[in-house]
Amino acid sequence: MSGSLDGNPRKLFDFDQWIEARLAGTEFPASWLDGHPLHAASNFCHLLGAARLRLEDIPQSRIAPEDRPVLYEMGFQVARHGEDAIRDTFVELQRKPGSPHDGPKAIFPKLYERLAYDYKDHPDYAPYQNILREHMATTWPLGPGDELLGQPVTERRLHSVRTAAQAIGIDQRRLRKALAAAQIVPEADKGKPDAWEVFDAIAAQPILASLTELITAKDMAVAINATRSQFNLLVEDGVLAPDLDATDVKAVWHPAQGQRFLDSLLIGAQQLRQAQHGWEHISKSAQRLKVRPIEIIEAIRDGRITRVGNRMEWEGYAAIYVYHDDVVSALRPDPSVSRIW
C-alpha cells in the first residue's frame, strides 16, 4: 500500500493476460497450458524462456530481475502451442554450438536442472519432465556415465557417429561414410553434425563390428584417454589385456574392450562440471594412498566405493574421479606397509 513495490510501467504481455484470466476465471484464447496447474505452468514458461536465451546468444548472466517478465513471455509463446512446439524448441537449442558431451545443463540452461532435480518429485511438473525425457531418449547418444533427468543411464540404446567412432576406434569420417553407405545415417553434408547424428546402437552392431580394427597399445591408451603410464599399470594388473596373443604384431588391442572397461566404472557416476575439494582422479587417489589403481577399480565394481564422478569437460579414463574419503574408508590401507603404485 505504501507503493514501495511499485515498478515502472511496461508492455502488457500475452502471458500477463493469460495469468489474469486464469486467476479471474475469465476468457482468454485457448492454450495447451490451460489444463495444467497454474504455478507449475508459469514456472515452466520461465524456465523455457531462460533456455531460449541461447537461441538469441544471450548469456544468463546478462538477465536482471526486471527482465523476468520477458522470460515468462518467451516461454509462454512456445508452451501455449503444446508439446510439438516445445520439442521443436528443444531441437533448435541442439542446433546451437555445443554437443551432448557438454551435458544437458549446457544445452538446456536452468530448464534441465530444475526439472531433473528441484522438481523431480513434484507431480505438477511431470508433463514437462516427460516431454524432455522422451526428447532426450530419442535424440541424445546416452550411455553409462550419462544421466537422464537425474537417473543414471545403465545401457546404451543410441550411438552418435562420434560415440560409435570412439567405441570401435576408427576415424569419424570413415565411419560416417560407412554408415551412410549402409543407409543408417545421412551423408555428412545432408545430416546433423557427428555428435548429434544418432542411430540404433543394437541394430548397427553388426556393421560396427565389421569395421572394428585391432589397434596398437599406444592407440589403445589414446582411445581410453589414459597416459601411457596409467595404461601400463592397468595392463600389468590385468584390467586390460591384449585380444591377440602375437609377439610379432603390434596391433593386438580391441578398442571395444577399452569401452567396456570405462562403462564398468561409469555406470551411476555423478556428472561433475569441475572437481571440487575431495574429488581425485583414480590414479591420483591411488598415489596418495600408495596403492595400485586396480584396488580402487575393484572397490568401485563391487560397490565398496559408490561416489564416482564423470568430469564433463574430459572423456575416457581421464574423466573418472572418486571421492578420496570414500576410497580411504573402503580400502583402509595399513600405513605401516609400503606398496608399489
Side-chain angles (χ1 to χ4, degrees):
M1 294 178 67
S2 69
S4 61
L5 297 179
D6 289 355
N8 295 322
R10 63 169 174 81
K11 178 183 177 181
L12 183 66
F13 294 133
D14 288 342
F15 175 79
D16 301 317
Q17 297 183 72
W18 174 74
I19 285 282
E20 184 176 19
R22 285 285 300 262
L23 294 174
T26 57
E27 291 291 329
F28 186 81
S31 164
W32 177 77
L33 294 167
D34 291 342
H36 298 251
L38 180 59
H39 185 252
S42 300
N43 275 344
F44 178 70
C45 288
H46 176 253
L47 297 174
L48 186 59
R52 289 188 67 198
L53 290 174
R54 286 191 69 237
L55 302 179
E56 309 297 332
D57 296 320
I58 300 174
Q60 301 281 331
S61 58
R62 284 181 52 188
I63 301 303
E66 56 267 26
D67 297 322
R68 285 178 64 91
V70 177
L71 299 185
Y72 282 102
E73 177 70 4
M74 289 173 64
F76 178 72
Q77 290 301 342
V78 172
R80 67 187 299 180
H81 297 295
E83 297 183 19
D84 289 345
I86 295 169
R87 292 191 186 95
D88 288 345
T89 296
F90 293 163
V91 171
E92 288 183 61
L93 289 167
Q94 291 173 192
R95 292 195 184 112
K96 298 295 288 183
S99 73
H101 185 70
D102 297 324
K105 294 179 186 178
I107 306 300
F108 309 114
K110 282 193 175 181
L111 176 73
Y112 181 85
E113 189 165 13
R114 297 294 189 272
L115 293 181
Y117 304 110
D118 295 4
Y119 305 133
K120 66 176 183 178
D121 297 321
H122 199 306
D124 289 353
Y125 291 87
Y128 318 113
Q129 292 163 338
N130 290 338
I131 295 171
L132 183 56
R133 182 183 295 107
E134 292 170 6
H135 168 79
M136 290 186 62
T138 56
T139 64
W140 283 60
L142 301 173
D146 296 319
E147 64 170 47
L148 183 56
L149 263 72
Q151 297 300 312
V153 176
T154 58
E155 61 178 336
R156 180 176 295 283
R157 297 183 178 180
L158 295 179
H159 256 312
S160 68
V161 176
R162 177 184 176 183
T163 60
Q166 291 171 336
I168 66 175
I170 71 171
D171 181 75
Q172 284 183 202
R173 290 167 296 182
R174 179 187 167 199
L175 177 60
R176 182 77 184 239
K177 291 179 180 178
L179 292 173
Q183 298 185 335
I184 293 175
V185 301
E187 296 281 356
D189 60 349
K190 297 178 181 178
K192 303 182 184 73
D194 288 348
W196 287 111
E197 194 67 77
V198 297
F199 54 91
D200 189 313
I202 297 175
Q205 187 55 42
I207 189 170
L208 295 180
S210 70
L211 293 169
T212 303
E213 296 178 348
L214 294 180
I215 57 179
T216 65
K218 178 181 177 181
D219 289 339
M220 185 68 163
V222 172
I224 66 171
N225 199 20
T227 66
R228 192 56 191 267
S229 61
Q230 291 171 343
F231 176 77
N232 289 341
L233 282 175
L234 296 173
V235 175
E236 289 171 14
D237 288 333
V239 178
L240 298 172
D243 286 78
L244 183 64
D245 184 12
T247 57
D248 57 342
V249 179
K250 290 185 177 181
V252 297
W253 295 89
H254 197 297
Q257 180 192 171
Q259 191 62 51
R260 288 194 299 270
F261 160 65
L262 297 174
D263 289 350
S264 72
L265 301 181
L266 286 170
I267 291 177
Q270 175 182 343
Q271 293 185 324
L272 302 176
R273 278 273 157 215
Q274 54 186 325
Q276 301 289 350
H277 178 72
W279 288 97
E280 299 276 13
H281 186 264
I282 287 178
S283 59
K284 180 66 174 180
S285 186
Q287 289 176 20
R288 289 181 61 182
L289 290 180
K290 294 185 170 60
V291 301
R292 297 183 73 93
I294 189 175
E295 297 188 49
I296 298 177
I297 291 168
E298 289 177 342
I300 294 172
R301 286 172 167 172
D302 64 24
R304 285 178 289 140
I305 295 175
T306 57
R307 272 196 287 186
V308 179
N310 179 17
R311 287 199 65 170
M312 298 306 295
E313 71 268 40
W314 293 333
E315 296 182 348
Y317 190 58
I320 304 175
Y321 275 59
V322 288
Y323 201 73
H324 186 68
D325 287 350
D326 290 358
V327 177
V328 174
S329 178
L331 302 185
R332 297 187 298 276
D334 184 345
S336 66
V337 179
S338 177
R339 304 184 185 184
I340 299 175
W341 52 266

